[in-house]
Amino acid sequence: MEAIQSPIQNVVGSVFVHVKDLRRSAEWYSMAMGLPLLEERLNGGPVYWLALEGGTGLILDDNRNNDPGAKHVLYSYKTDDIEAAYRFLSEMGADLLFPIERPHPGLAYFNFADPDGNAVMVTQSDYESAVVERLEHSASPIMNKIASIFINVTDMNRAIAFHSKALALPYEEVNAGQSIYELHMRSGSGVLLDDNRFRQGDSYKTLFMFVTRDAEGSKAYLEANGVQVFTDMERHGDMAFFTVQDPDGNVVMVCSE
């Protein structure tokens, strides 16, 4: 039997962070990664975007152009055929949140939701941006790279089945004790299904993970810039990580490479 192919690529284009004050957030994320502030992108529009190392970018979105009450998108997948991607998800019974939108030539997208209500965008785009390079003398140990995105779920095997089917990946059932499952990505950032927040009854969700070569130095740098640690440093073997909140309360992890 011929393997099913998904028109949705297992490649993350961008992570979305939903914010209230675009300039404040652009300044915060630039400070965190040691990047210049790109004034030309603070031109009155609803988004501030950054192409980052590794191929997965960051989009800050103040939602002014989004319908009130619409689900906030976590991230986007790439496709070369937006119509085929829409049909594929429709045929598998996914919750398609709106028809394909084409805001201008060379860009088309739509959103779908998983069984836990997590919204994901599928995008076909002709546009490429250059990676925003770190400032030469930046004191930040945090790299301009997103290592992984978290999808917070309540039923791990249900989530694995849905997201694997959307990307035509093999389904691997896991035992009840496994709280993290990594979807196989071809390039760019990883995607982690995570039921830790549900298991522990937490009221917050971690969005994604920045990379650093110095976890302790990153913690000290952020604290020196007025950022309070949200969850303290944890260590598992050679890996160390902690989380902070951005100005809008979004929780972001900083993890050693």
Side-chain angles (χ1 to χ4, degrees):
M1 179 184 294
E2 186 178 349
I4 295 173
Q5 299 294 315
S6 173
I8 303 168
Q9 299 173 20
N10 52 335
V11 177
V12 175
S14 293
V15 176
F16 285 79
V17 180
H18 299 276
V19 305
K20 294 177 181 176
D21 185 323
L22 209 56
R23 174 173 290 276
R24 180 184 66 178
S25 295
E27 290 173 348
W28 192 91
Y29 281 94
S30 297
M31 173 276 297
M33 291 183 282
L35 302 179
L37 186 67
L38 305 177
E39 287 288 348
E40 67 274 16
R41 297 184 185 178
L42 292 167
N43 56 8
V47 298
Y48 181 91
W49 72 98
L50 296 167
L52 303 177
E53 296 287 350
T56 296
L58 177 68
I59 296 177
L60 307 179
D61 187 349
D62 69 9
N63 299 302
R64 76 182 74 169
N65 289 351
N66 299 332
D67 292 335
K71 294 181 185 295
H72 284 176
V73 174
L74 297 177
Y75 63 92
S76 65
Y77 283 129
K78 296 181 178 182
T79 184
D80 291 327
D81 190 336
I82 197 75
E83 299 281 356
Y86 193 88
R87 286 195 304 272
F88 182 83
L89 286 171
S90 177
E91 289 167 2
M92 71 173 263
D95 181 11
L96 298 167
L97 300 179
F98 53 78
I100 296 169
E101 295 197 2
R102 303 178 188 273
H104 47 75
L107 177 64
Y109 65 91
F110 66 89
N111 296 348
F112 69 94
D114 74 1
D116 285 289
N118 297 301
V120 179
M121 180 179 286
V122 180
T123 303
Q124 182 176 357
S125 176
D126 295 337
Y127 299 94
E128 293 285 345
S129 295
V131 171
V132 180
E133 301 293 343
R134 286 166 49 85
L135 293 167
E136 184 177 354
H137 300 295
S138 171
S140 175
I142 301 170
M143 299 167 63
N144 54 335
K145 180 180 179 180
I146 295 172
S148 293
I149 300 159
F150 294 96
I151 305 180
N152 291 276
V153 304
T154 59
D155 183 322
M156 181 60 81
N157 282 312
R158 181 183 67 175
I160 294 170
F162 177 88
H163 288 278
S164 297
K165 189 173 183 180
L167 299 172
L169 299 174
Y171 170 63
E172 302 175 34
E173 187 169 326
V174 298
N175 62 48
Q178 185 165 332
S179 60
I180 294 282
Y181 180 91
E182 183 171 6
L183 296 170
H184 175 68
M185 293 293 110
R186 195 172 71 202
S187 61
S189 75
V191 176
L192 304 175
L193 304 178
D194 183 355
D195 70 1
N196 280 295
R197 307 285 70 79
F198 174 70
R199 286 172 184 258
Q200 298 172 23
D202 294 325
S203 59
Y204 71 92
K205 297 177 180 180
T206 307
L207 295 186
F208 59 85
M209 179 192 305
F210 278 131
V211 180
T212 182
R213 295 190 179 94
D214 181 357
E216 289 288 355
S218 297
K219 180 172 177 283
Y221 169 79
L222 290 173
E223 288 177 327
N225 280 275
V227 180
Q228 292 186 340
V229 170
F230 183 67
T231 59
D232 209 356
M233 188 76 69
E234 293 188 38
R235 298 183 182 279
H236 300 275
D238 292 334
M239 182 176 68
F241 62 89
F242 63 97
T243 67
V244 295
Q245 288 181 302
D246 74 5
D248 290 282
N250 298 302
V251 179
V252 177
M253 180 178 288
V254 180
C255 185
S256 58
E257 189 177 29

